[in-house]
């Protein structure tokens, strides 16, 4: 597991693997023979770390590997002045190299040189808010796994860096089929016309924890697969805040504050839902607090709604719109939702097969 640091005080050519403004070691020429890279000059490599959270990495400017110019250092020879890297660099034409130093997040295209370097167990940490941009900040390239752990994208402890799309239609994070990712302690914002905040039919184990979704023209999180959204805030969104579509098994929505948005708070339109909505505050949304609209065909598919406070939503606190929806509704508070009813069973027989109390 290694950590890559992104900081406005860094350099776009730094490797990002040390929490320093400038690179620890630099050079103007290197050559590669397989995964062994020979460095110019006489750099002192004795301080390099070859494994663990402080593992060193090198940015080779001319590498043409798909989606990366940053490589993790797995061994070094301080006599021959060589480093061994995790993937053999290809196509080196510009041989400048830098080891360590904070990476400067670019304001232009996607930062694929760093994205491609992330492995299961690695961490990408934003120390502060990068410059606003019109392109997606993070695109999923690889996945975490059950052996090495999550790929983590996080803000530095004690601050909440803002990832802001200034204009246009880009998503803040496009995480297509991203398995076992963990996103925490960030604020995500889209000031354009279409883009979502996190999208891409998230894979199993995708977790959002303590993230503020502060503005956006579309859905904040949308997925057809398993995901978890906990301890986060959703506000000033034009689209639905959290949507679970098509499949939607093993979804947890817990401890969130979902308020003052234009559309629905939570939408469950999945056909095979296994969803738990626990201990959220959902208030003052322009449509429903929770909208269950899927068409499940198996009684084992269910939506569990427990311990939530749901109030001041325009259309309903909860609306269940399919006759086959199986809802377990316990220990919630509904108040001042709509002008007719706090809970609306618009497909009436759904209430007969559901269980509710307290």
């Amino acid at each position: 597991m290694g950590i890559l640091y992104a900081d406005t005080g860094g350099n776009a050519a730094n490797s990002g693997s040390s929490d320093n403004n400038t690179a620890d070691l630099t050079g103007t020429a290197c050559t590669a023979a397989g995964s062994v890279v020979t460095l110019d000059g006489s750099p002192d490599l004795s301080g390099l770390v070859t494994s663990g959270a402080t593992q060193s990495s090198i940015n080779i400017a001319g590498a043409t590997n798909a989606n990366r110019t940053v490589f993790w250092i797995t061994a070094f020879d301080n006599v021959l002045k060589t480093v061994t890297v995790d993937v053999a660099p290809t196509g080196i034409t510009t041989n400048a190299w830098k080891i360590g130093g904070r990476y400067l997040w670019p304001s232009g295209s996607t930062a694929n040189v760093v994205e491609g370097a992330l492995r299961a167990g690695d961490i990408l940490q934003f120390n502060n808010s990068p410059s606003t941009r019109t392109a997606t900040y993070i695109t999923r390239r690889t996945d975490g796994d059950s052996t090495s752990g999550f790929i983590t994208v996080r803000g530095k402890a004690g601050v909440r860096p803002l990832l802001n799309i200034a204009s246009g239609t880009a998503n803040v994070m496009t995480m297509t089929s991203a398995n076992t990712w963990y996103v925490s302690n960030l604020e995500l914002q889209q000031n354009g016309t279409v883009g979502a905040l996190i999208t891409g039919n998230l894979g199993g184990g995708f977790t959002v924890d303590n993230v503020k979704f502060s503005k956006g023209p579309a859905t904040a999180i949308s997925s057809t697969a398993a995901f978890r959204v906990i301890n986060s805030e959703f506000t000033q969104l034009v689209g639905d805040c959290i949507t679970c579509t098509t499949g939607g098994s093993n979804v947890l929505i817990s401890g969130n504050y979902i308020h003052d948005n234009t559309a629905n708070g939570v939408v469950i339109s999945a056909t095979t839902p296994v969803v738990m909505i626990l201990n959220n505050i959902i208030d003052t949304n322009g449509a429903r607090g929770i909208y269950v609209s899927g068409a499940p065909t198996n009684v084992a598919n269910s939506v569990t709604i427990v311990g939530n406070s749901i109030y001041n939503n325009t259309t309903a606190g909860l609306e269940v719109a399919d006759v086959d929806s199986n809802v377990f509704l316990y220990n919630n508070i509904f108040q001042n939702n709509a002008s007719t009813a706090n809970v609306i069973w618009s497909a009436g027989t759904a209430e007969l097969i559901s269980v509710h109390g307290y």
Side-chain angles (χ1 to χ4, degrees):
M1 179 192 78
I3 302 175
L4 295 177
Y5 300 90
D7 194 309
T8 54
N11 184 303
N14 289 347
S15 75
S17 58
S18 68
D19 201 2
N20 302 315
N21 281 345
T22 57
D24 304 321
L25 298 170
T26 64
T28 59
C30 64
T31 58
S35 59
V36 178
V37 180
T38 302
L39 308 175
D40 69 320
S42 300
D44 181 6
L45 306 179
S46 61
L48 299 186
V49 180
T50 57
S51 64
T54 58
Q55 185 174 7
S56 302
S57 64
I58 182 171
N59 190 328
I60 302 175
T64 59
N65 300 66
N67 302 319
R68 67 184 298 185
T69 60
V70 172
F71 304 87
W72 295 98
I73 296 173
T74 59
F76 64 89
D77 188 317
N78 207 16
V79 175
L80 299 178
K81 303 304 179 184
T82 63
V83 295
T84 303
V85 294
D86 63 322
V87 174
T90 58
I92 296 178
T93 55
T94 303
N95 297 344
W97 57 272
K98 292 186 178 182
I99 294 175
R102 298 169 186 158
Y103 182 80
L104 177 63
W105 213 258
S107 59
S109 61
T110 55
N112 54 9
V113 296
V114 168
E115 294 170 336
L118 294 174
R119 312 156 298 181
D122 287 341
I123 296 170
L124 173 60
Q125 176 172 302
F126 288 90
N127 285 349
N128 50 26
S129 302
S131 300
T132 58
R133 52 193 278 123
T134 57
T136 295
Y137 279 88
I138 308 291
T139 300
R140 173 262 183 193
R141 308 286 182 183
T142 55
D143 290 321
D145 59 43
S146 58
T147 300
S148 298
F150 287 86
I151 293 176
T152 297
V153 180
R154 72 185 185 192
K156 183 179 180 179
V159 297
R160 191 195 293 275
L162 171 64
L163 307 187
N164 180 25
I165 301 292
S167 61
T169 61
N171 305 314
V172 179
M173 301 179 69
T174 300
M175 307 304 296
T176 303
S177 301
N179 291 294
T180 320
W181 279 66
Y182 187 87
V183 181
S184 69
N185 200 35
L186 293 167
E187 181 175 353
L188 308 183
Q189 192 174 97
Q190 218 286 9
N191 288 279
T193 55
V194 176
L197 298 180
I198 297 180
T199 190
N201 299 330
L202 312 176
F206 192 97
T207 300
V208 173
D209 181 9
N210 189 29
V211 172
K212 182 175 182 179
F213 300 82
S214 58
K215 188 176 182 180
T219 299
I221 299 178
S222 177
S223 180
T224 64
F227 64 95
R228 292 172 286 184
V229 183
I230 59 177
N231 305 323
S232 296
E233 181 180 2
F234 298 78
T235 189
Q236 299 184 61
L237 301 172
V238 174
D240 299 327
C241 296
I242 303 171
T243 67
C244 174
T245 63
T246 310
S249 295
N250 301 317
V251 172
L252 173 64
I253 301 169
S254 177
N256 302 289
Y257 183 26
I258 304 170
H259 67 101
D260 296 285
N261 301 289
T262 300
N264 297 292
V266 178
V267 176
I268 309 300
S269 59
T271 55
T272 57
V274 179
V275 179
M276 301 192 73
I277 304 173
L278 308 175
N279 301 327
N280 303 279
I281 297 174
I282 306 174
D283 80 88
T284 320
N285 296 291
R288 308 156 188 86
I290 301 172
Y291 185 35
V292 181
S293 61
T297 58
N298 189 320
V299 72
N301 302 132
S302 63
V303 179
T304 300
I305 304 172
V306 175
N308 303 278
S309 295
I310 304 172
Y311 59 93
N312 290 347
N313 298 287
T314 300
T315 305
L318 166 66
E319 180 176 353
V320 181
D322 184 82
V323 295
D324 296 313
S325 294
N326 187 12
V327 178
F328 293 84
L329 183 64
Y330 281 99
N331 201 33
N332 301 280
I333 297 173
F334 292 89
Q335 183 176 348
N336 296 338
N337 296 286
S339 58
T340 54
N342 282 296
V343 178
I344 300 173
W345 303 87
S346 53
T349 56
E351 185 175 12
L352 300 178
I353 66 171
S354 298
V355 181
H356 51 90
Y358 304 102

